[in-house]
Amino acid sequence: MRKQRQVASDAGLSKQRVVAEAVRLADREGVHGLSMRRLADALGAGAMSLYHYVANKEELLDAMIDVVFEEIELPPEETDWQSAMRRRAISARQVLARHPWAISLMESRTSPGPAHLRHREAVTACLRKAGFPVLMATHAHWLLDVYVYGFALQAASLPFDTADEFAGMAEDVFLPQLPPDEFPYLNESAAALVAAGYDPAGEFIFGLDLVLAALEPLRASA
């Protein structure tokens, strides 16, 4: 009877369902604890049945990262390159906030999927059509990705998510550790940021606009 139930459950599997469940598990529990057996349990299937859809965990990770790239908005073609790259970077940051496990895997895959390749092609095309030579387009692509991934990695480790949470931690946790006679500038900064209603989420756009502005003269000179 158990075997019959298992066969019935396995019959409802597909590669799309297997990968989607793997992404859900990674979102909840992280990717390091993800195993084929854990995934099979979540699907109510036999572990060996998963190998009909993915050859091994590396192929599963490739497919999971392809799902992440599929969610990132491609740079739109109907606007200028800076606006297009801005929208793409903001979208990437939002997607990585939903899938923080993916940050360290985005550049490590050696068998990229179709969504991954479409994304790379669209970003490169946007920069090349804007006038960046091949080498400078590569520099720009690297710089923008490093900024997005680095910010996403830092944001994922912060002990607060909102301006209100930051203000509460600054008043209750940070300021008591910053006596003004010993740390006058840090104390001043923390107090001023709380009074101003500072929102750390705004830092992403601030830095992104600086990066884009710095790239424009390089494009223009080329």
Side-chain angles (χ1 to χ4, degrees), residues 170 174-194:
F174 301 145
L175 276 170
Q177 302 179 64
L178 302 172
D181 57 332
E182 189 174 358
F183 304 104
Y185 293 105
L186 290 177
N187 181 283
E188 175 191 44
S189 296
L193 292 174
V194 170

Side-chain angles (χ1 to χ4, degrees), residues 81-104:
W81 80 270
Q82 285 183 314
S83 298
M85 288 293 99
R86 196 175 193 266
R87 282 178 57 177
R88 175 255 181 183
I90 291 171
S91 175
R93 186 213 167 192
Q94 292 169 341
V95 170
L96 291 175
R98 295 196 297 269
H99 309 298
W101 55 269
I103 300 170
S104 63

Side-chain angles (χ1 to χ4, degrees), residues 20-34 38-39 41-43 64 97-102:
E21 184 59 35
V23 170
R24 281 192 288 271
L25 279 175
D27 289 345
R28 288 200 308 268
E29 303 172 9
V31 76
H32 295 296
L34 179 65
R38 175 73 183 90
L39 178 56
D41 288 344
L43 289 164
M64 291 166 67
R98 295 196 297 269
H99 309 298
W101 55 269

Side-chain angles (χ1 to χ4, degrees), residues 43-60:
L43 289 164
M48 295 306 296
S49 65
L50 301 188
Y51 293 99
H52 292 294
Y53 307 100
V54 288
N56 48 47
K57 186 176 178 180
E58 287 303 304
E59 185 174 312
L60 176 64

Side-chain angles (χ1 to χ4, degrees), residues 68-208:
V68 175
F69 272 104
E70 184 73 44
E71 293 182 15
I72 301 173
E73 180 181 358
L74 298 179
E77 297 181 1
E78 69 277 3
T79 186
D80 64 277
W81 80 270
Q82 285 183 314
S83 298
M85 288 293 99
R86 196 175 193 266
R87 282 178 57 177
R88 175 255 181 183
I90 291 171
S91 175
R93 186 213 167 192
Q94 292 169 341
V95 170
L96 291 175
R98 295 196 297 269
H99 309 298
W101 55 269
I103 300 170
S104 63
L105 297 174
M106 297 292 279
E107 300 298 324
S108 69
R109 312 320 300 163
T110 57
S111 299
H116 187 163
L117 292 174
R118 282 195 301 270
H119 185 92
R120 298 294 185 194
E121 175 70 12
V123 172
T124 303
C126 179
L127 294 169
R128 291 288 289 119
K129 290 176 181 178
F132 286 93
V134 170
L135 182 57
M136 192 56 67
T138 303
H139 290 331
H141 196 163
W142 270 85
L143 179 59
L144 287 163
D145 281 357
V146 166
Y147 177 73
V148 172
Y149 297 154
F151 193 98
L153 184 63
Q154 183 182 50
S157 66
L158 291 175
F160 46 80
D161 293 320
T162 66
D164 288 341
E165 290 178 2
F166 169 79
M169 291 204 70
E171 292 179 322
D172 299 336
V173 179
F174 301 145
L175 276 170
Q177 302 179 64
L178 302 172
D181 57 332
E182 189 174 358
F183 304 104
Y185 293 105
L186 290 177
N187 181 283
E188 175 191 44
S189 296
L193 292 174
V194 170
Y198 171 73
D199 186 354
E203 295 294 349
F204 180 76
I205 297 298
F206 179 83
L208 177 60

